[in-house]
Amino acid sequence: MASGDVEDRTILEDSEKPAFSNESFVYRTFKNTVSGTVGGVAVCLVGHPFDTLKVRLQTQPVDRPVYKGLSDCFFKTLKWEGIGGLYKGVGSPLVGQMFFRATLFSSYYQITTFFAGEDHSQRLTVPQYFLSGSLTGVVAALVEGPIDLFKSKMQVQIIRAQAGEPMKYRNVFHAAYVIAQNHGIRGCYQGLSATWLRNIPANGCFFGFYEIARTLQTPEGGTVKDVSPLGLLVSGGCGGFFYWFLTYPTDVIKSSMQADDSVKSKRKFKGITDCARKLYYEQGGITRFYKGFTPCLMRSIPANAAMFFVVETMRKYFPL
């Protein structure tokens, strides 16, 4: 392959105009919303058990840990709660992921369309894809923040129950109701600043590396729409892997702040800096920021591979 061809592929340009070039804003939004919704179901069903283990390992007390490690957390969850324990709090993510992924992909494709300008056939540069993903992370956090909060409150209940605390929430929807009733909309956005801290760079990596991988697997003479199903799975897994691999410590901060007391005056962490400092100095140094890292990476590849595959496959079935 000539060096000029390599350069063209590096900046992610396609010569063939894609089918969406003449789509209206409303139709494009509808297509991406439906595709994202179905993708949200896929990522939740595949990834939630790993997420439960991740959050429990992230948030358990360091001085009196309930779990010795990943396998211990897995088997204790099965012993105490059965298979349903791995899907603790799944109600919020399942419903929420449908809405969240619809928002995520609709926002992302609208942002990339904006950068492309009138010529929708123009593929963006690598930096533009990373920037599009980062801007998507800003919007997505407004939906994802409450979803993660309610889920986290449910997932860490079992840890506190082992210390003798009563269960506060019957299910994830009850958690949402109680928090909203007692603390209002601000209570539902507990840890929002930390969610942005994670989401902005993480989603930049998520979509940026996905687009790079998808382009590298584009058949010669074709477009990204011609990438094989296996290529889509690999690209999605690549995006998911780098989302977590490069930004995981920020997720630990987010989870810790969301798992903190809903009553502001009783919270252990006063903000992002205070949370990071206390986690580092009081709970194990740098290793504290990698609690739950293994199940997270185990989840990231299959869950996001499935999601991107479903989303891109769904988008192909929409006629002009």
Side-chain angles (χ1 to χ4, degrees):
M1 181 180 294
S3 60
D5 294 335
V6 174
E7 182 178 351
D8 288 343
R9 291 168 68 82
T10 301
I11 63 174
L12 305 178
E13 293 180 347
D14 289 326
S15 60
E16 183 177 320
K17 181 173 290 188
F20 63 73
S21 58
N22 296 318
E23 290 174 355
S24 69
F25 173 85
V26 174
Y27 182 78
R28 189 166 60 247
T29 299
F30 174 74
K31 177 178 74 172
N32 294 327
T33 297
V34 172
S35 301
T37 299
V38 180
V41 176
V43 73
C44 188
L45 294 180
V46 174
H48 192 79
F50 296 101
D51 188 69
T52 297
L53 300 178
K54 172 182 75 76
V55 171
R56 288 179 172 178
L57 289 170
Q58 282 180 338
T59 57
Q60 67 175 335
V62 174
D63 56 338
R64 52 183 191 284
V66 177
Y67 313 110
K68 298 177 182 178
L70 175 59
S71 60
D72 186 55
C73 183
F74 174 73
F75 287 114
K76 281 183 177 176
T77 297
L78 292 180
K79 178 181 178 181
W80 295 338
E81 304 167 87
I83 191 67
L86 295 173
Y87 283 91
K88 187 70 70 176
V90 73
S92 172
L94 185 57
V95 174
Q97 282 284 349
M98 295 167 67
F99 182 53
F100 163 56
R101 297 298 174 179
T103 302
L104 182 77
F105 282 98
S106 181
S107 298
Y108 175 69
Y109 285 116
Q110 293 294 359
I111 291 170
T112 56
T113 298
F114 170 79
F115 280 121
E118 294 183 1
D119 183 6
H120 295 175
S121 65
Q122 179 66 43
R123 289 279 284 170
L124 305 183
T125 64
V126 170
Q128 284 177 319
Y129 277 120
F130 277 89
L131 177 59
S132 297
S134 296
L135 293 175
T136 300
V138 175
V139 178
L142 299 176
V143 177
E144 189 177 16
I147 295 171
D148 277 357
L149 177 70
F150 306 144
K151 170 179 64 68
S152 295
K153 295 293 188 185
M154 281 298 300
Q155 289 172 326
V156 301
Q157 272 199 135
I158 189 65
I159 296 175
R160 292 171 179 168
Q162 299 304 308
E165 293 186 22
M167 293 281 199
K168 291 183 180 180
Y169 313 114
R170 295 190 298 271
N171 52 56
V172 72
F173 299 106
H174 183 240
Y177 172 80
V178 171
I179 292 171
Q181 186 79 3
N182 294 333
H183 307 286
I185 189 67
R186 290 177 65 90
C188 297
Y189 280 97
Q190 178 180 335
L192 178 61
S193 59
T195 303
W196 271 325
L197 176 70
R198 181 201 67 180
N199 267 31
I200 293 173
N203 278 283
C205 294
F206 186 51
F207 286 106
F209 283 108
Y210 166 71
E211 294 290 359
I212 290 175
R214 192 164 62 132
T215 299
L216 291 175
Q217 296 179 87
T218 300
E220 188 170 356
T223 73
V224 291
K225 290 183 175 295
D226 301 316
V227 173
S228 68
L230 178 59
L232 286 176
L233 290 170
V234 170
S235 299
C238 181
F241 174 82
F242 283 108
Y243 178 109
W244 291 109
F245 183 75
L246 297 177
T247 63
Y248 188 79
T250 60
D251 186 68
V252 174
I253 294 173
K254 178 198 72 71
S255 293
S256 298
M257 291 180 67
Q258 288 185 327
D260 207 353
D261 203 297
S262 295
V263 179
K264 190 172 182 178
S265 61
K266 297 181 180 180
R267 290 178 190 168
K268 180 176 181 179
F269 307 118
K270 306 306 179 185
I272 292 174
T273 303
D274 182 60
C275 180
R277 181 179 60 81
K278 288 179 177 176
L279 291 177
Y280 182 84
Y281 286 108
E282 300 176 13
Q283 300 188 25
I286 194 67
T287 59
R288 178 62 182 85
F289 295 96
Y290 287 91
K291 295 291 185 181
F293 188 54
T294 301
C296 182
L297 287 186
M298 290 173 63
R299 169 190 181 273
S300 67
I301 296 176
N304 288 289
M307 180 183 67
F308 271 110
F309 173 77
V310 169
V311 168
E312 294 297 344
T313 301
M314 286 291 297
R315 294 179 81 236
K316 290 179 180 179
Y317 284 100
F318 281 84
L320 280 176

